[in-house]
Amino acid sequence: NAGVTQTPKFQVLKTGQSMTLQCAQDMNHNSMYWYRQDPGMGLRLIYYSASEGTTDKGEVPNGYNVSRLNKREFSLRLESAAPSQTSVYFCASNREEAFFGQGTRLTVV
Amino acid sequence: ILNVEQSPQSLHVQEGDSTNFTCSFPSSNFYALHWYRWETAKSPEALFVMTLNGDEKKKGRISATLNTKEGYSYLYIKGSQPEDSATYLCAPGGSNYKLTFGKGTLLTVNP
């Protein structure tokens, strides 16, 4: 039982490049989330998906897009990366308690 | 945006001390209150999910209480140990399934 799997674990991008962070869960959860972690800011919600086919903005959605491809997968896309998007990104899913992926450390130079 | 306040921001205690911290949240549109433990360089792990006013949950030396009418929850750690050092996060979940975290309380337990 893998839980929540996030890829990649590390990524360095140049300003203006694009990339997609992948997230998949095997727990049949309806709800999935993308967060970013920055020093002193805790976990801030970027986007969430309450069920397959729906997505909603969180606290800090600007510069990001998401796709809920199916019940298992929820991807986060940076169309044109900026240094301000340097962060650690976490994907999570839940029915009651949330389960988190291992995180993606992204650096934009 | 859901205003979630956690206090204190950080806390240093000695091994064996008991401690507690607070999570405050808007009492309207309440659905559930989550507590997570987050160790450095790891992913957050769930401690409790609480839904009923007056609820009290316990896991080993850690317990939590919930007051939905006034919008707060307390997390208690009895007899703190160095391995309890972590950031403790709370997150009220609304009926729209949005899970928004507070900034956390960073606990350091000195041996």
Side-chain angles (χ1 to χ4, degrees):
Chain A
N1 191 342
V4 179
T5 304
Q6 238 182 282
T7 57
K9 281 192 174 180
F10 302 95
Q11 183 73 50
V12 178
L13 288 179
K14 292 183 179 178
T15 297
Q17 285 185 316
S18 61
M19 79 161 295
T20 299
L21 281 66
Q22 306 286 353
C23 176
Q25 52 93 8
D26 60 4
M27 295 171 283
N28 203 35
H29 289 164
N30 284 326
S31 301
M32 297 186 74
Y33 308 84
W34 277 106
Y35 296 93
R36 58 178 289 174
Q37 175 207 356
D38 301 293
M41 303 297 288
L43 281 173
R44 291 186 292 170
L45 182 63
I46 304 171
Y47 271 93
Y48 70 105
S49 170
S51 62
E52 183 180 354
T54 69
T55 60
D56 284 285
K57 295 178 180 179
E59 302 166 82
V60 288
N62 291 344
Y64 305 95
N65 286 303
V66 291
S67 295
R68 184 74 183 266
L69 303 169
N70 47 55
K71 193 170 186 179
R72 289 188 67 248
E73 298 172 291
F74 188 38
S75 62
L76 179 73
R77 183 158 178 85
L78 287 70
E79 289 290 352
S80 178
S84 60
Q85 294 178 303
T86 294
S87 188
V88 180
Y89 292 84
F90 285 96
C91 175
S93 72
N94 80 323
R95 181 176 291 118
E96 290 188 0
E97 64 194 89
F99 293 84
F100 286 80
Q102 292 301 300
T104 297
R105 186 172 293 275
L106 175 67
T107 303
V108 184
V109 298
Chain B
I1 295 179
L2 200 62
N3 277 338
V4 185
E5 299 289 337
Q6 288 191 248
S7 61
Q9 282 190 330
S10 64
L11 193 56
H12 289 253
V13 301
Q14 290 298 124
E15 182 174 355
D17 287 351
S18 293
T19 187
N20 65 84
F21 8 102
T22 307
C23 173
S24 301
F25 52 89
S27 54
S28 59
N29 196 32
F30 176 82
Y31 187 73
L33 191 283
H34 298 228
W35 279 103
Y36 291 81
R37 182 171 178 274
W38 192 10
E39 290 182 73
T40 303
K42 294 188 177 180
S43 302
E45 292 184 343
L47 289 171
F48 306 112
V49 178
M50 309 169 78
T51 55
L52 299 176
N53 184 45
D55 220 359
E56 184 168 340
K57 293 206 171 181
K58 188 173 181 182
K59 187 182 284 189
R61 294 178 291 99
I62 304 177
S63 61
T65 60
L66 178 65
N67 184 321
T68 60
K69 292 183 179 179
E70 296 181 41
Y72 64 84
S73 175
Y74 293 135
L75 189 79
Y76 301 91
I77 302 179
K78 186 178 178 181
S80 302
Q81 300 297 309
E83 57 264 30
D84 295 330
S85 296
T87 297
Y88 291 83
L89 299 169
C90 74
S95 57
N96 61 356
Y97 305 101
K98 188 175 181 179
L99 198 59
T100 304
F101 286 85
K103 292 183 180 180
T105 293
L106 174 60
L107 174 66
T108 304
V109 183
N110 300 310

